[in-house]
Amino acid sequence: MDRLRGQVIVAGTASGAVLYATQPLSFWGGYDAASGRITDTHHPLAGETAAGMALVLPATRGSSTTTAVLLEAIRRETAPAALITRGVDAFLALACVVGQEMYGRSPVLVCVGEDEFRSLAEWPGLEVEEGALTRRER
Amino acid sequence: MSGGSDTVRLSPFDRALLAGEEGEAPKLAMRILARMAEVRGAESMLDIEAAHIDSTIYVGDAGLEFAERLAGLGARVRVPSTLNVSGLDEFHWQEWSVPPEWAEKSARQMRAYDSMGTIPTWTCAPYQGRQTPRFGQQIAWGESNAVAFANSVIGARTERYPDLLDICCAITGRAPAVGLHLDENRLATRVLRLRDVPEELAAADDFYPVLGHLLGPFAEDDPVAITGLPVIPEEDQLKALGAAAASSGAVALFHIPGVTPEAPTLADAFGGREPAAILDVGLPELRAARRELTTHAEGALDMVVLGSPHFSFAEFGKLAALLRERGPERALPDEGGCELVVTTSRAVRDLAERAGLLEPLHTFGGRLMVDTCVLATPMTPGTTRRLMTNSAKYAWYSPGLLGSAVAFGSLAECVESARRGRVVREPGPWD
């Protein structure tokens, strides 16, 4: 599958290398807003820089502060360019909505179904426009 | 956004707020809430009776700018609203390694939320104070451990409210009618069955963080029932269970038949349906989970830290008894010993002080921190690399937030380790 569709939560156009994990991530204690790096030592993407990338996660987990950390990353422009989740993640959605209110910008946020989510594991990069995701080389 | 906001049925009051009839702050708050209601697929909004505001934690300028934007628009909360920890022990931060710029900004964020008519509890355990919600109440709570406790142990109704949204609910008195606010979503769909857990182990204080640590990844964010517990847990044990499960997973509601209020029986917990997933847990799985909480198995310690969630009055009683029993002899920090730090709320500290429960801690040379915790403020110097704690939440987050290695242990092991400045294990029900 080189093209698939998801549900647009926050519209926009973005492209980037795919960072993919099947484990949920807490941004509090898991995402460094200063550098855009993933710092959760329990997470397989620990050490990766997600700023400007297409971050593909099933969902967030744990802390309520995830939204404040993502909003801070949006302010500092260290947020991912696109966030793709399996089903709606209200924490990421909120940070994006408030990012638009406060700073007039936000990552593109799209949620996809189970099968689409799995197929993204094989994509080196992607481009997203509205709800359409297209496979790209990095 | 997908769709239009006409998919959510807004009340005349909601529309009045959106139109700015109650002022600019409720207008902004309702605009965010209405978009989130749409994202969640809510059909309508509902009234809430109380809020707990996690947005108080300072993690950077964005959260501060949001708070000051609302405060600058004259925001006032419409329902009693308690405040979670801040990024600062307001009156004692100079005693720690908190950079002045961080302190100044955290204090500004505290003042912004103070100015909205909130209740300055500054605690992540608001359910152990005078503002505890009641069974069946609709509330909008942030702070993952508090959400788990309010839903599970009290039977109040709240979604997991993220930072920035909790305050929007408080300012409007409204919340999207979705998720755990609704009866049908509160039934358990998964069951964790404890197998042959000895009563002595199930009574131990370090059993519940371990159980919660296992529960999180299994439950994901579904309501889950726990069976096979041979004892009735204490309040602080349920608190530790929820905090652990809301760290390793996104648990917002658990049922223990015969213990928690919405599950007199297992059948009640499931509403007559069959569980969608079953996990059997015995001693081997529990021991493995306990080991997983420790990344610093032995050797010297820089700090023993207790109180996540914030230490309760009852926990101070247990700590005082242990410190008295073991005696004040210890290795001092400058002779190879380590620090002992307890994080709690102002209210509980004052009560514990008046009850004489802090005296053994003072004699020992232990330190108290209120309003915040070691995870929410840069109080510990960069040289604090090896921690020990009885909290699964501290154990879970410390490596990512503080870059430290952690030993998890019982309260007694933490006290003994603090005395000797190194990780001490004691024989007990895990053996």
Side-chain angles (χ1 to χ4, degrees):
Chain A
M1 210 174 343
D2 284 349
R3 285 173 166 278
L4 54 87
R5 291 202 67 82
Q7 181 195 344
V8 180
I9 307 297
V10 176
T13 306
S15 62
V18 167
L19 283 180
Y20 177 94
T22 56
Q23 284 86 342
L25 175 71
S26 167
F27 277 52
W28 189 61
Y31 196 97
D32 177 21
S35 63
R37 265 181 57 246
I38 293 171
T39 53
D40 179 353
T41 53
H42 309 280
H43 201 273
L45 293 178
E48 298 279 355
T49 295
M53 305 285 211
L55 181 58
V56 184
L57 294 170
T60 58
R61 83 171 139 212
S63 170
S64 312
T65 309
T66 278
T67 49
V69 174
L70 179 54
L71 183 66
E72 178 68 8
I74 293 171
R75 186 187 76 83
R76 290 174 176 242
E77 306 194 49
T78 56
L83 290 159
I84 315 294
T85 58
R86 187 178 64 200
V88 175
D89 187 276
F91 282 30
L92 298 181
L94 177 70
C96 294
V97 164
V98 179
Q100 290 180 322
E101 284 283 350
M102 295 287 295
Y103 306 109
R105 61 175 178 267
S106 157
V108 177
L109 178 59
V110 174
C111 67
V112 297
E114 178 78 46
D115 292 345
E116 288 81 1
F117 183 82
R118 264 199 302 271
S119 66
L120 286 170
E122 310 298 326
W123 289 21
L126 64 76
E127 187 177 310
V128 54
E129 185 171 2
E130 296 307 316
L133 277 66
T134 309
R135 178 186 170 123
R136 289 279 180 262
E137 297 313 308
R138 295 179 69 96
Chain B
M1 300 293 292
S2 61
S5 53
D6 55 348
T7 54
V8 186
R9 201 170 61 247
L10 296 178
S11 70
F13 175 72
D14 299 331
R15 286 198 296 272
L17 296 192
L18 261 186
E21 289 172 25
E22 299 284 325
E24 285 301 312
K27 181 180 178 179
L28 172 59
M30 183 52 78
R31 192 162 67 229
I32 293 168
L33 270 175
R35 285 191 74 178
M36 289 311 296
E38 184 194 342
V39 166
R40 293 293 311 274
E43 288 178 11
S44 62
M45 310 272 277
L46 49 74
D47 285 333
I48 52 156
E49 292 185 61
H52 180 64
I53 312 301
D54 191 60
S55 312
T56 47
I57 297 182
Y58 174 78
V59 296
D61 287 0
L64 172 60
E65 286 168 15
F66 183 71
E68 291 189 336
R69 161 94 70 99
L70 287 170
L73 295 174
R76 304 285 296 174
V77 296
R78 292 187 80 94
V79 294
S81 300
T82 46
L83 299 180
N84 202 44
V85 293
S86 77
L88 195 68
D89 180 335
E90 191 175 12
F91 300 110
H92 306 94
W93 64 269
Q94 295 93 337
E95 297 165 19
W96 306 88
S97 68
V98 181
E101 191 199 344
W102 175 286
E104 188 262 326
K105 288 180 169 174
S106 294
R108 270 168 55 195
Q109 193 158 320
M110 291 176 89
R111 281 197 297 276
Y113 284 108
D114 253 339
S115 77
M116 299 179 198
T118 51
I119 305 166
T121 43
W122 306 117
T123 183
C124 53
Y127 44 81
Q128 291 185 316
R130 292 184 56 200
Q131 287 78 27
T132 304
R134 293 188 311 278
F135 179 83
Q137 264 188 331
Q138 296 287 1
I139 59 174
W141 272 28
E143 169 55 54
S144 60
N145 101 81
V147 168
F149 193 97
N151 275 320
S152 313
V153 183
I154 297 171
R157 283 147 194 254
T158 179
E159 271 289 275
R160 297 191 303 125
Y161 279 91
D163 289 20
L164 317 171
L165 194 61
D166 46 21
I167 189 62
C168 294
C169 295
I171 288 168
T172 58
R174 302 283 284 168
V178 293
L180 297 176
H181 287 297
L182 308 178
D183 287 351
E184 62 267 28
N185 299 325
R186 298 181 64 84
L187 295 169
T189 58
R190 306 177 187 211
V191 60
L192 184 152
R193 302 189 300 199
L194 291 170
R195 296 291 191 202
D196 306 319
V197 172
E199 204 171 309
E200 190 200 358
L201 178 59
D205 64 76
D206 57 345
F207 174 71
Y208 292 87
V210 171
L211 177 59
H213 182 67
L214 265 175
L215 186 65
F218 167 62
E220 298 183 357
D221 57 357
D222 285 343
V224 58
I226 302 167
T227 64
L229 204 54
V231 300
I232 303 284
E234 296 169 9
E235 179 177 288
D236 285 312
Q237 293 175 330
L238 294 170
K239 164 171 108 169
L241 169 62
S247 299
S248 65
V251 173
L253 172 59
F254 60 84
H255 300 293
I256 306 176
V259 174
T260 57
E262 290 175 58
T265 67
L266 186 62
D268 293 320
F270 281 92
R273 296 181 308 194
E274 288 299 309
I278 297 171
L279 180 67
D280 285 325
V281 168
L283 273 176
E285 292 81 15
L286 288 160
R287 286 193 179 115
R290 177 169 171 256
R291 279 194 300 273
E292 209 175 276
L293 284 168
T294 290
T295 55
H296 178 65
E298 54 187 27
L301 289 165
D302 299 310
M303 181 181 283
V304 171
V305 59
L306 310 170
S308 179
H310 272 169
F311 233 42
S312 69
F313 185 81
E315 288 173 308
F316 273 115
K318 288 183 177 173
L319 176 63
L322 271 167
L323 286 168
R324 286 200 181 101
E325 178 192 307
R326 308 276 169 127
E329 307 78 33
R330 62 174 296 200
L332 291 167
D334 55 3
E335 4 175 279
C338 71
E339 295 255 28
L340 171 61
V341 174
V342 187
T343 51
T344 188
S345 67
R346 301 177 185 193
V348 168
R349 175 201 56 196
D350 292 350
L351 276 177
E353 181 87 70
R354 268 176 249 153
L357 298 179
L358 300 188
E359 205 199 311
L361 182 65
H362 295 324
T363 306
F364 185 85
R367 303 168 79 183
L368 277 176
M369 161 155 283
V370 298
D371 300 344
T372 185
C373 82
V374 293
L375 301 176
T377 188
M379 56 179 265
T380 56
T383 51
T384 305
R385 283 279 168 263
R386 300 159 299 182
L387 302 183
M388 184 159 182
T389 184
N390 67 343
S391 156
K393 184 166 182 173
Y394 274 151
W396 179 271
Y397 285 113
S398 294
L401 282 165
L402 307 176
S404 53
V406 184
F408 168 81
S410 68
L411 183 61
E413 287 173 333
C414 285
V415 166
E416 201 50 41
S417 300
R419 293 181 75 226
R420 303 189 189 202
R422 60 179 174 80
V423 179
V424 178
R425 294 293 174 189
E426 302 197 326
W430 288 103
D431 301 327

